[in-house]
């Protein structure tokens, strides 16, 4: 495996892992799978649903990894660092909004 291929594999693994632990993705998947499953229904619907969700998730991860690899190779290390800091701050900000709204909803 070349250095470029290993970077792509790492990027893919990172995005796949982040998607796997993303609570919104999990809630969305559970809600949709509940809508697909019906009592006494055929097993074909849930199997097709799971296969298409897996295929579309794989396609999305490949797209993200490809774009990330291209951008990472075409910009300077300082730009990559700045993008990482900005992205981290956005994630922290969104997390704060979720916590504040969640606390307000419980009050």
């Amino acid at each position: 495996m070349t250095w470029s291929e290993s970077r792509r594999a790492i990027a893919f693994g990172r995005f796949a892992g982040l998607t796997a632990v993303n609570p919104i993705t999990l809630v969305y998947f559970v809600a949709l799978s509940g809508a697909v499953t019906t009592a006494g229904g055929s097993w074909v619907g849930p199997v097709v649903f799971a296969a298409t969700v897996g295929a579309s998730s794989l396609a999305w991860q490949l797209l993200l990894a490809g774009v990330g690899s291209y951008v990472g190779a075409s910009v300077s290390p300082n730009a990559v660092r700045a993008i990482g800091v900005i992205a981290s701050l956005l994630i922290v900000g969104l997390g704060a909004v979720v916590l504040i709204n969640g606390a307000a909803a419980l009050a």
Side-chain angles (χ1 to χ4, degrees):
M1 180 179 286
T2 66
W3 183 75
S4 177
E5 289 171 339
S6 94
R7 282 188 64 200
R8 288 181 186 149
I10 290 170
F12 176 78
R14 183 180 304 144
F15 280 111
L18 289 173
T19 299
V21 298
N22 183 352
I24 299 299
T25 302
L26 294 175
V27 167
Y28 185 70
F29 183 78
V30 168
L32 285 177
S33 63
V36 171
T37 2
T38 58
S42 172
W43 58 270
V44 175
V47 169
V48 169
F49 173 76
T52 54
V53 165
S56 62
S57 180
L58 176 62
W60 178 245
Q61 298 308 320
L62 289 173
L63 175 70
L64 289 177
V67 169
S69 177
Y70 176 76
V71 170
S74 63
V75 298
S76 71
N78 287 338
V80 171
R81 189 175 303 114
I83 291 169
V85 168
I86 291 168
S88 297
L89 291 172
L90 284 172
I91 290 170
V92 168
L94 290 171
V97 168
V98 167
L99 286 174
I100 291 167
N101 288 340
L106 292 174

